[in-house]
Amino acid sequence: MKNIKPKQVKSLLKALEKENYDKASEMLDQIVAKRNESLIEGVEEIAQNLHDTLEGFGQDAQLLRDTKHGLPDATERLEYVMQTTEEASNKTLSAAENMIGLLESIESQTSDEKIAGYVRQAHAEMTEIMTAQSFQDLTGQVLNRVIMLVTSLEASLKDLIQRSGLSLDAIPAAHQSEAERKAEEEKGMGPNVTRESQKGTVGSQADVDAMLDDLGI
Amino acid sequence: MQIDRNMNILVVDDFSTMRRIVKNLLKELGFSKFDEADDGATAWPMIQSGKYDFIVSDWNMPEMTGIDLLRHVRADEKLKSTPFLLITAEAKRAQILEAAEAGVDGYIVKPFTAATLNGKIEKIFERVAERKKAAGG
């Protein structure tokens, strides 16, 4: 506002009083132009601040590293949970289906009322096991939402970083010092579910056994 | 009331586990003819073939939602009376209302039991029979 001069406003009023609309319109344009100028200056200032703030973090800052490595890693982990629960549900469903088939065969072949009763009860329990697998659908829908949110957060942050004039390529690759890696391995880190963490892992128990064999254990 | 256990049923859900569970439960209820679709968008051309006597669908699917699929079915002169059951995790009153307005025949909130599914199906086909009777068919 400070670059709008009272003189300009007075001329605008004067022009309006005289019903000189051409002049009034010209004065109004001048005032609006001044106002736009200060808006642009304001936006430029904000952009500069953002750039300075992000640059102040340095290319190695946690936020930048999390954006480049942490968020994709989180998504990959959630996808692993989706996949694993789906596989487990399908295994359980197969077993329950086979079991129901067996129970139906027994039921059709037995003339013993007591056994038939047990079989019907077991069948009902199997149906219960089967329907309980619907947890995979419900938790899967929740995970899908979180994955979408993380992915969109990742995209927004990358956009912000690039807009501030920093380069994503300049953010260093995910790295751990030898000491950090050793400390993490010492502590144990759960299943190696991401491509990054699968580096240097065994593929199966057969691989473990082969290694043990080589080591004479 | 006698339900035709030989009817063709389409089960629509983006989660294969859920399709499998619904199919197994329907099998336990004596039904035997099912097809599956993993989205409203894949289900719609299948339904347009006119093959199905009953549609069981999820709501939240990536390409075309179950509620949209229902609206497509209800807007089609030949298909509009096909019984349609929604089985979904969507449980807001407003959503149930929306489904009712779109012309759903039954609504089951996940997780559900075999008994709930059985009860809904019986109710749906009772009403279908009444409608046919009222229409003089």
Side-chain angles (χ1 to χ4, degrees):
Chain A
M1 286 301 277
K2 60 177 184 262
N3 40 9
I4 296 173
K5 303 271 184 308
K7 214 176 109 190
Q8 290 174 310
V9 183
K10 277 180 196 152
S11 329
L12 169 62
L13 281 173
K14 219 163 155 188
L16 282 172
E17 274 161 13
K18 287 186 179 166
E19 298 185 1
N20 181 351
Y21 294 116
D22 284 347
K23 176 75 179 167
S25 163
E26 188 191 315
M27 291 318 296
L28 192 61
D29 284 348
Q30 277 183 23
I31 293 169
V32 170
K34 279 284 175 200
R35 183 159 173 76
N36 284 348
E37 243 171 58
S38 45
L39 261 179
I40 291 165
E41 276 166 21
V43 172
E44 277 170 355
E45 201 176 317
I46 291 169
Q48 188 59 43
N49 277 344
L50 174 65
H51 176 86
D52 293 348
T53 309
L54 284 173
E55 201 164 56
F57 287 161
Q59 299 283 21
D60 202 22
Q62 192 65 38
L63 175 70
L64 303 187
R65 278 200 288 164
D66 282 348
T67 304
K68 187 166 177 177
H69 311 296
L71 293 180
D73 182 87
T75 307
E76 225 179 310
R77 283 169 197 275
L78 291 175
E79 279 163 355
Y80 166 81
V81 176
M82 290 271 293
Q83 198 189 330
T84 314
T85 51
E86 189 181 342
E87 280 167 12
S89 286
N90 276 320
K91 267 189 205 164
T92 312
L93 282 171
S94 294
E97 282 166 15
N98 294 339
M99 196 67 188
I100 286 173
L102 284 174
L103 291 168
E104 279 169 354
S105 309
I106 300 172
E107 202 179 349
S108 66
Q109 282 166 40
T110 185
S111 49
D112 188 320
E113 260 318 299
K114 209 168 165 190
I115 289 178
Y118 288 143
V119 167
R120 274 194 297 274
Q121 204 181 330
H123 190 149
E125 299 289 353
M126 272 299 141
T127 306
E128 195 69 13
I129 289 175
M130 192 177 68
T131 42
Q133 300 312 306
S134 63
F135 85 89
Q136 197 271 325
D137 171 348
L138 296 170
T139 54
Q141 290 191 48
V142 174
L143 287 175
N144 268 338
R145 281 193 77 124
V146 179
I147 289 171
M148 262 161 54
L149 180 75
V150 174
T151 310
S152 122
L153 182 66
E154 183 190 331
S156 305
L157 282 171
K158 279 183 173 165
D159 190 43
L160 191 67
I161 289 168
Q162 268 159 343
R163 271 169 203 261
S164 77
L166 293 172
S167 154
L168 277 172
D169 295 335
I171 301 170
H175 66 265
Q176 269 180 325
S177 67
E178 189 66 7
E180 278 172 331
R181 188 179 57 76
K182 278 235 166 80
E184 197 176 43
E185 285 176 5
E186 187 67 32
K187 212 169 86 189
M189 53 194 129
N192 297 100
V193 302
T194 61
R195 261 165 296 149
E196 188 57 37
S197 68
Q198 271 159 6
K199 285 178 188 161
T201 62
V202 289
S204 66
Q205 184 58 42
D207 289 350
V208 180
D209 292 343
M211 265 185 82
L212 292 176
D213 256 358
D214 289 347
L215 295 165
I217 299 169
Chain B
M1 209 246 343
Q2 206 57 37
I3 300 174
D4 173 17
R5 306 275 159 179
N6 276 321
M7 69 169 87
N8 285 302
I9 304 175
L10 181 65
V11 179
V12 192
D13 199 307
D14 52 336
F15 278 81
S16 63
T17 343
M18 189 47 84
R19 293 200 299 272
R20 203 164 162 187
I21 293 168
V22 170
K23 263 174 34 183
N24 278 324
L25 291 176
L26 289 169
K27 224 184 271 173
E28 302 229 324
L29 297 175
F31 296 97
S32 56
K33 291 182 178 164
F34 323 97
D35 285 323
E36 294 179 37
D38 64 358
D39 194 280
T42 41
W44 178 231
M46 294 169 77
I47 296 170
Q48 280 176 301
S49 72
K51 177 177 172 185
Y52 300 104
D53 308 301
F54 184 32
I55 300 161
V56 180
S57 175
D58 182 23
W59 180 312
N60 178 17
M61 293 177 286
E63 297 288 322
M64 188 199 281
T65 61
I67 189 90
D68 261 354
L69 183 65
L70 169 62
R71 290 194 184 110
H72 274 74
V73 171
R74 291 294 179 254
D76 187 295
E77 198 50 41
K78 269 187 279 177
L79 303 167
K80 67 179 181 189
S81 63
T82 315
F84 200 113
L85 172 64
L86 274 168
I87 301 184
T88 168
E90 309 299 322
K92 292 227 161 67
R93 286 171 196 285
Q95 290 173 306
I96 299 169
L97 215 64
E98 198 184 341
E101 276 164 13
V104 81
D105 294 288
Y107 196 107
I108 295 177
V109 175
K110 294 173 187 171
F112 62 101
T113 63
T116 309
L117 181 63
N118 193 17
K120 266 305 162 249
I121 290 179
E122 278 186 2
K123 199 163 179 192
I124 288 172
F125 285 97
E126 240 167 64
R127 244 184 281 131
V128 168
E130 276 166 24
R131 274 209 301 260
K132 273 191 186 155
K133 217 167 142 190

